[in-house]
Amino acid sequence: MQFSKSLKKSHIFRRLYRKGRSAANGYLVLYCRKNGTGENRVGLTVSSKLGCAVVRNRVRRRLREIYRLHEAEFVPGYDIVVVARSRAVAASYQKLQRAYLSLAQSLGLLREGQSDETAPS
């Protein structure tokens, strides 16, 4: 990830859950909050209720790749946490991508004039 770092500290996750803005659909829940820096920090949460380690890691890899491909479209300066729901396990990559980007759009995390279909080369 070129313009971003990963979130790892639990107190930052808790602060986002408590004070951040959120949007949800059938596949994902997205939390965001301004962080006062010039870069995004992204965290992923995939519960053990969703399946074994192989299944959880597949969902994590897909979510990381969606963010990586569309990273330039995101407005910098936010902490973002993505929580996978149980339907995300069986969802195709395209459905996850549409769900992720529509949630980001609804929270105002995407730059104006960016198309959801374009991916940086």
Side-chain angles (χ1 to χ4, degrees):
M1 293 189 287
Q2 191 175 6
F3 307 111
S4 305
K5 291 184 178 178
S6 61
L7 273 180
K8 295 185 178 167
K9 299 195 183 278
S10 65
H11 74 274
I12 298 175
F13 277 83
R14 285 194 310 268
R15 182 174 47 201
L16 268 169
Y17 295 144
R18 195 172 57 251
K19 295 185 178 180
R21 294 183 302 138
S22 66
N25 58 27
Y27 302 104
L28 304 169
V29 181
L30 201 76
Y31 294 90
C32 71
R33 185 171 191 249
K34 287 195 177 209
N35 62 17
T37 67
E39 60 191 7
N40 288 335
R41 296 186 297 188
V42 182
L44 301 173
T45 302
V46 181
S47 171
S48 60
K49 294 177 184 178
L50 298 186
C52 65
V54 173
V55 171
R56 295 192 311 268
N57 286 330
R58 183 183 306 125
V59 172
R60 270 191 216 106
R61 283 194 307 269
R62 285 179 170 184
L63 293 174
R64 264 197 307 266
E65 183 66 6
I66 291 167
Y67 181 80
R68 186 187 71 83
L69 291 175
H70 296 278
E71 184 176 20
E73 299 172 26
F74 280 78
V75 176
Y78 281 90
D79 287 341
I80 301 167
V81 170
V82 182
V83 179
R85 289 185 162 175
S86 58
R87 288 180 59 193
V89 172
S92 68
Y93 179 83
Q94 288 76 21
K95 286 183 181 178
L96 274 181
Q97 182 174 353
R98 264 194 308 263
Y100 197 125
L101 294 177
S102 69
L103 291 177
Q105 181 71 41
S106 68
L107 288 172
L109 295 176
L110 296 182
R111 297 178 195 267
E112 294 297 320
Q114 291 287 340
S115 170
D116 288 350
E117 300 301 319
T118 59
S121 306

